[in-house]
Amino acid sequence: MRVLRILTRKELNTYFLSPFGWVVLAFVVLMQGLSLSSAMKGFRDTPVKDSLVYVTFHTPLFWFFFLFIFPLITMRLFAEEERSGTLETLLTAPVRTWQVVLSKYFAAMIFYVILWIPAYFQFKAFSWFTEIPPAYSEGALLGSFAILLLMGSTFTAIGCLSSALTSSQIIAGIITITILVIHYFLGFVTVIWGESFAGAGFFHYISSQQHLHYFSNGLLDSRPVVYYLSFSAFILFLTYQVIDLRRWRP
């Protein structure tokens, strides 16, 4: 565990010791602020039955920047080290392949969680600076961040695998965003084709939009937890296989 902790700290430092990590943080804070502002404007213009949390996380702007977070924070993880030749050096060091994979994944996940801390305070500022009760329940807010964490665990794993498949950060980013966009639009299959075909239940099960819909209303469900955690483990296993193949490649 000591080696894993050291490697994770090293990877995490790369986010905060370079301008890129701070730019990503500023980008997410700005875009989340715009999503919240547009939701509040909607509340001002017309009566809305849904909570402020629900409306904020269901704007097109939110999904636009949310899906782009993952190629930004993962595309360099393996691709940059492969391009610079440092991945071979790392793999020949006295560390195990699973430690390399998990350290990069954990560092990306820690950074991802940090990205959402300002968003939590943005919602809290609504009641701190006004005398109006917040237009959301605490359960809806915590549920939303819980599902964002679960989705982030899987989407970050996808980014790790994409980065492990190529030595180009750009290609890794393109692969990641392509997979995530496809996954996003799979959630609309039942909207387009209806509920009458045999696979409708499967598309409901994997729909990120539906998961966010329930959790942002404070309705917790164990099925998305199982789905995202098991899918994350499977993707990380594939990443391990890809990196381990490079370790033993002549």
Side-chain angles (χ1 to χ4, degrees):
M1 293 302 293
R2 178 175 175 272
V3 173
L4 179 61
R5 186 170 61 252
I6 292 172
L7 291 175
T8 301
R9 187 183 301 119
K10 169 185 171 293
E11 290 296 328
L12 191 58
N13 285 339
T14 61
Y15 288 104
F16 294 103
L17 296 181
S18 67
F20 181 75
W22 295 101
V23 170
V24 173
L25 177 59
F27 168 75
V28 173
V29 172
L30 174 62
M31 297 303 289
Q32 174 59 24
L34 291 175
S35 296
L36 180 59
S37 298
S38 63
M40 294 177 68
K41 182 179 183 300
F43 272 66
R44 185 194 65 184
D45 295 341
T46 57
V48 180
K49 66 176 181 178
D50 298 307
S51 71
L52 179 62
V53 171
Y54 180 91
V55 175
T56 301
F57 289 133
H58 284 76
T59 61
L61 181 61
F62 166 77
W63 282 105
F64 169 78
F65 84 84
F66 176 68
L67 294 179
F68 272 96
I69 291 175
F70 303 99
L72 290 176
I73 67 176
T74 62
M75 62 184 183
R76 51 155 294 278
L77 289 178
F78 294 101
E80 176 61 21
E81 296 217 41
E82 172 73 10
R83 185 196 63 80
S84 61
T86 56
L87 184 60
E88 276 189 26
T89 304
L90 180 61
L91 293 177
T92 55
V95 296
R96 297 182 180 274
T97 305
W98 66 267
Q99 293 172 328
V100 175
V101 173
L102 286 184
S103 66
K104 291 181 178 293
Y105 175 74
F106 287 157
M109 276 301 300
I110 293 171
F111 183 67
Y112 172 76
V113 171
I114 292 173
L115 293 179
W116 289 106
I117 294 177
Y120 176 81
F121 290 106
Q122 286 174 337
F123 281 106
K124 287 298 183 180
F126 182 88
S127 55
W128 289 345
F129 297 107
T130 68
E131 297 180 357
I132 304 173
Y136 58 85
S137 66
E138 194 68 22
L141 182 61
L142 295 179
S144 297
F145 283 113
I147 194 62
L148 289 177
L149 178 62
L150 289 170
M151 288 193 291
S153 66
T154 297
F155 296 169
T156 301
I158 291 173
C160 288
L161 177 59
S162 302
S163 184
L165 291 173
T166 177
S167 60
S168 170
Q169 293 189 51
I170 301 300
I171 295 176
I174 292 173
I175 294 173
T176 303
I177 193 62
T178 300
I179 295 174
L180 297 185
V181 169
I182 292 173
H183 183 273
Y184 171 77
F185 280 107
L186 286 177
F188 290 103
V189 169
T190 54
V191 176
I192 298 172
W193 295 99
E195 308 283 346
S196 58
F197 66 101
F202 169 77
F203 289 105
H204 280 301
Y205 182 72
I206 68 171
S207 173
S208 297
Q209 303 94 302
Q210 186 163 314
H211 300 154
L212 185 58
H213 168 81
Y214 285 120
F215 276 70
S216 60
N217 278 315
L219 304 173
L220 305 184
D221 188 352
S222 61
R223 289 173 296 178
V225 178
V226 173
Y227 167 66
Y228 286 114
L229 293 183
S230 59
F231 197 20
S232 300
F234 175 69
I235 297 297
L236 288 175
F237 172 75
L238 294 181
T239 307
Y240 167 83
Q241 295 297 327
V242 171
I243 299 301
D244 201 49
L245 181 63
R246 291 184 179 177
R247 178 190 284 271
W248 302 110
R249 185 176 58 189

